[in-house]
Amino acid sequence: MAFTLPALSYAVDALEPHIDKMTMEIHHGKHHAAYVTNLNNAIAGTDAEKLSIEEICKSISKYPMAVRNNGGGHYNHSLFWSIMSPNKGGVPTGKIADAINAAFGSFEEFKTKFAAAGATRFGSGWAWLIVGADKKLAICSTPNQDNPLMDIAEVKGTPILGMDVWEHAYYLKYQNRRPDYMSAFFNVINWDAVTERYEKA
Ligand code: MN
């Protein structure tokens, strides 16, 4: 079965002023859509058509680069849309807050480390909050459209929060100011969705 572009659960302008409407339209409607189309073309007629995107990522070393780039692009963006929401942001509470405090000392310390992971990722890539094999939270980053589910990842785990730091994620509104985009991103994180992913991981 072919992969499909997931619909956004909010309007394209719902994340304004933090993430602008035109960026959302192009990012979701053009970039993510292209990853889906190219992934489907890359796996057409192969056994990968029967697998979930998570299964493909977990054994990505077996596949050609087109599957790695576009499969990663599809998984990463699907996660990205789902962990953002209007009228969210702020400070997490409950289980996820406890886990963040245990792993990083405080929410402020977590924010600093997560932003540093995004800022120091040279060129295009992603910053991640993951649940590791030890069930603890950790921060890492990946290049291009790689992600921590992939068997080739330097740091492996289950992603529960991801921040796209490709220029296409912020250039229209923030130009070269990646740090401004990253602090704006914190205003639209849907911590309920992150908590749900944390509980399943
Ligand atoms: Mn992107």
Side-chain angles (χ1 to χ4, degrees), residues 68 76 121-122 124-126 141-147 166:
R68 178 167 161 184
N76 297 350
R121 170 49 59 189
F122 182 76
S124 298
W126 291 76
S141 74
T142 53
N144 304 314
Q145 294 296 356
D146 288 356
N147 64 54
W166 282 58

Side-chain angles (χ1 to χ4, degrees), residues 83 88-111 114 128-132 135-139 158-162 186 189-201:
I83 54 81
K88 294 285 183 177
V91 176
T93 54
K95 275 185 190 174
I96 190 70
D98 296 342
I100 285 173
N101 291 336
F104 309 109
S106 68
F107 181 63
E108 282 310 309
E109 194 59 24
F110 157 73
K111 270 176 83 168
F114 189 77
W128 302 101
L129 177 64
I130 62 168
V131 179
K135 293 288 163 196
K136 287 184 182 151
L137 294 181
I139 290 168
T158 305
I160 61 169
L161 172 66
F186 272 92
I189 296 177
N190 182 348
W191 287 108
D192 294 341
V194 177
T195 301
E196 206 172 295
R197 285 180 180 272
Y198 173 65
E199 286 172 345
K200 279 191 204 148

Side-chain angles (χ1 to χ4, degrees), residues 27 77 126 145 164 166 168:
H27 200 177
H77 288 85
W126 291 76
Q145 294 296 356
D164 190 344
W166 282 58
H168 70 219

